[in-house]
């Protein structure tokens, strides 16, 4: 399974699709921890067919995007400002913003900093609050490994641990997929992996932040989500009044395992949002709060 234009990243031509149907708007997609724009490949077709221009990006320091080495470059605010810049660079007016896993944390911050840049916010397999205990252990181990071991050694250890956890009936990654995953791992900056892990471990309960956003919010995840507890995500949706989607049979990446069903759920939400109309032409405002 295949688990920016901005101030510090770049849009990739391979991650930008023009709508195949009647144009309905643009979508900006942010990948998760250790992820990349390729994680959204299976969604590009159905969303394009539905009339959406889809732009999937590598965040700063991820995969093919440039990233500094310094720790300060990977603060929530720095990453969020990249996303606001990306939305403005698309020149399509407010865009629908989607963040998967860690990308949801960045998307929340971007929506809070520049709400007028976005039409809606979707958190895909991403919760406001700490990840589940097994994931916290894994993140701490990765951060410690990068501090002590060569990157290649960490990669091999991670693959071995993943293989130990596979069930007999689970699909095995092809050599092509394994090759891509390794290249992505080696290209991604250690500072990004460390910084993203730190933010995941320290993320507070952000339900109040979500409820205060001046744009529609959608929480979507699989019934077998394991990074955040599904019950906790359902509670957040109830507390905030967010649109709520559960993809039955999907795990942490419905975008990979159930792309058609997820695309239908996403477009239904966006159509409802767009159908509500706008009282005035949005004007971009970026908060100056730290």
């Amino acid at each position: 399974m295949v688990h920016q234009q901005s101030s510090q990243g770049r849009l990739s031509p391979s991650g930008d699709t023009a709508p195949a149907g009647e144009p309905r708007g643009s979508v900006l997609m942010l990948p998760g921890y250790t992820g990349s724009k390729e994680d959204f490949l299976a969604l590009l077709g159905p969303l394009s067919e539905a009339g959406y221009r889809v732009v999937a990006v590598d965040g700063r320091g991820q995969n093919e995007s440039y990233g500094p080495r310094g720790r300060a470059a990977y603060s929530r605010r720095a990453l969020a400002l990249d996303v606001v810049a990306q939305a403005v660079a698309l020149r399509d007016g407010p865009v629908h913003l989607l963040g998967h896993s860690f990308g949801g944390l960045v998307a929340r911050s971007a929506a809070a900093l520049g709400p007028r840049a976005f039409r809606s916010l979707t958190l895909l397999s991403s919760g406001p609050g700490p990840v589940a205990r097994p994931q916290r252990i894994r993140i701490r181990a990765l951060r410690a490994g990068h501090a002590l071991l060569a990157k290649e050694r960490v990669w091999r250890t991670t693959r071995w641990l993943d293989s130990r956890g596979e069930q007999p009936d689970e699909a095995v990654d092809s050599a092509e997929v394994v090759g891509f995953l390794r290249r992505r791992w080696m290209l991604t900056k250690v500072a990004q992996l460390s910084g993203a892990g730190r933010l995941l471990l320290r993320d507070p309960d952000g339900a109040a932040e979500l409820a205060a956003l001046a744009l529609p919010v959608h929480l979507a995840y699989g019934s077998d989500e394991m990074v955040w507890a599904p019950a906790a995500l359902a509670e957040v949706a109830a507390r905030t009044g967010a649109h709520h989607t559960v993809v039955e049979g999907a795990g942490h990446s419905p975008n990979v395992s159930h792309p058609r069903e997820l695309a239908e759920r996403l477009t239904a939400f966006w159509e409802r949002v767009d159908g509500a109309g706008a009282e005035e032409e949005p004007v971009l405002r970026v908060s100056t709060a730290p």
Side-chain angles (χ1 to χ4, degrees), residues 60-144:
R60 72 165 64 184
Q62 278 185 319
N63 194 30
E64 296 179 324
S65 278
Y66 166 79
R69 294 183 178 182
R71 173 175 173 173
Y74 301 94
S75 68
R76 282 186 62 164
R77 179 175 174 79
L79 298 176
L81 286 173
D82 278 356
V83 177
V84 176
Q86 290 162 2
V88 174
L90 294 181
R91 301 183 183 278
D92 286 344
V95 302
H96 294 289
L97 179 61
L98 180 149
H100 174 243
S101 194
F102 172 72
L105 183 155
V106 178
R108 280 166 35 214
S109 297
L113 280 171
R116 295 296 185 123
F118 308 104
R119 192 75 183 90
S120 71
L121 170 64
T122 295
L123 303 183
L124 176 60
S125 305
S126 180
V131 297
R133 186 172 183 273
Q135 300 301 323
R136 294 199 300 272
I137 294 173
R138 180 183 176 87
I139 292 169
R140 291 190 182 104
L142 279 177
R143 296 185 74 215

Side-chain angles (χ1 to χ4, degrees), residues 100-101 124-127 131-132 135 220-231 233 246-255:
H100 174 243
S101 194
L124 176 60
S125 305
S126 180
V131 297
Q135 300 301 323
Y221 54 90
S223 58
D224 298 329
E225 167 65 34
M226 72 291 291
V227 178
W228 282 268
L233 295 176
V246 179
V247 181
E248 291 297 329
H252 187 58
S253 297
N255 45 306

Side-chain angles (χ1 to χ4, degrees), residues 146-285:
H146 280 304
L148 299 172
L149 303 172
K151 205 172 185 182
E152 176 71 26
R153 179 71 177 273
V154 178
W155 158 253
R156 292 181 180 179
T157 302
T158 301
R159 289 296 298 176
W160 180 81
L161 290 172
D162 287 345
S163 68
R164 299 279 291 181
E166 290 176 355
Q167 299 299 318
D169 59 345
E170 286 184 338
V172 177
D173 289 337
S174 68
E176 182 180 5
V177 169
V178 172
F180 163 73
L181 293 175
R182 182 187 176 278
R183 288 193 301 275
R184 177 171 72 179
W185 178 271
M186 298 304 293
L187 283 171
T188 297
K189 301 293 186 292
V190 171
Q192 189 278 336
L193 292 167
S194 179
R198 180 177 67 253
L199 292 175
L200 282 170
L201 292 172
R202 297 180 179 181
D203 193 29
D205 184 343
E209 178 187 43
L210 277 183
L213 289 177
L215 71 166
V217 177
H218 181 195
L219 266 64
Y221 54 90
S223 58
D224 298 329
E225 167 65 34
M226 72 291 291
V227 178
W228 282 268
L233 295 176
E235 181 184 357
V236 169
R239 287 169 58 192
T240 61
H243 188 73
H244 186 202
T245 291
V246 179
V247 181
E248 291 297 329
H252 187 58
S253 297
N255 45 306
V256 175
S257 64
H258 294 65
R260 287 281 172 181
E261 181 178 351
L262 178 61
E264 290 175 3
R265 303 293 192 92
L266 292 172
T267 55
F269 169 68
W270 295 331
E271 287 169 8
R272 191 179 76 171
V273 170
D274 291 334
E279 296 181 357
E280 61 181 10
E281 185 69 19
V283 178
L284 175 62
R285 298 188 181 97

